[in-house]
């Protein structure tokens, strides 16, 4: 890998299936919000599934999400 690692990573990154083998992936699986099309909900919830790359931890992913959202009004909780 020391010789061909960069080439291998470049090749795997060129398609979605290969890219998912190199990085932690994210899938929003459930979104809950309002019940009417013309009324803003008072709160909303999303359940997000992360498939972590070996070596990544839930804490690292959670901190990345907190930094990306950067809104103290948004709460983030881990579940099983």
């Amino acid at each position: 890998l020391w010789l061909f690692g960069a080439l291998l990573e470049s090749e795997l990154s060129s398609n979605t299936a290969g890219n998912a083998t190199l990085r932690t992936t994210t899938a929003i699986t459930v979104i809950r919000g309002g019940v009417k099309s013309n009324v803003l909900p008072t709160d909303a919830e999303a359940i997000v599934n992360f498939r972590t790359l070996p070596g990544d931890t839930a804490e690292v992913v959670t901190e990345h999400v907190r930094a990306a959202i950067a809104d103290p009004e948004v709460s983030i909780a881990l579940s099983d």
Side-chain angles (χ1 to χ4, degrees):
L1 283 179
W2 67 269
L3 182 59
F4 295 109
L7 179 63
L8 182 61
E9 184 175 339
S10 174
E11 192 62 30
L12 285 172
S13 294
S14 67
N15 64 67
T16 55
N19 200 22
T21 66
L22 298 174
R23 291 165 182 76
T24 292
T25 60
T26 306
I28 300 171
T29 56
V30 177
I31 298 176
R32 295 183 189 108
V35 294
K36 291 191 165 235
S37 62
N38 62 345
V39 178
L40 292 175
T42 56
D43 62 338
E45 176 183 6
I47 298 174
V48 182
N49 179 281
F50 293 96
R51 292 192 175 95
T52 56
L53 185 67
D56 279 354
T57 64
E59 292 77 21
V60 169
V61 173
T62 301
E63 284 309 309
H64 175 77
V65 170
R66 283 187 209 287
I69 293 173
D71 185 344
E73 294 291 318
V74 175
S75 62
I76 300 169
L78 296 174
S79 66
D80 296 332

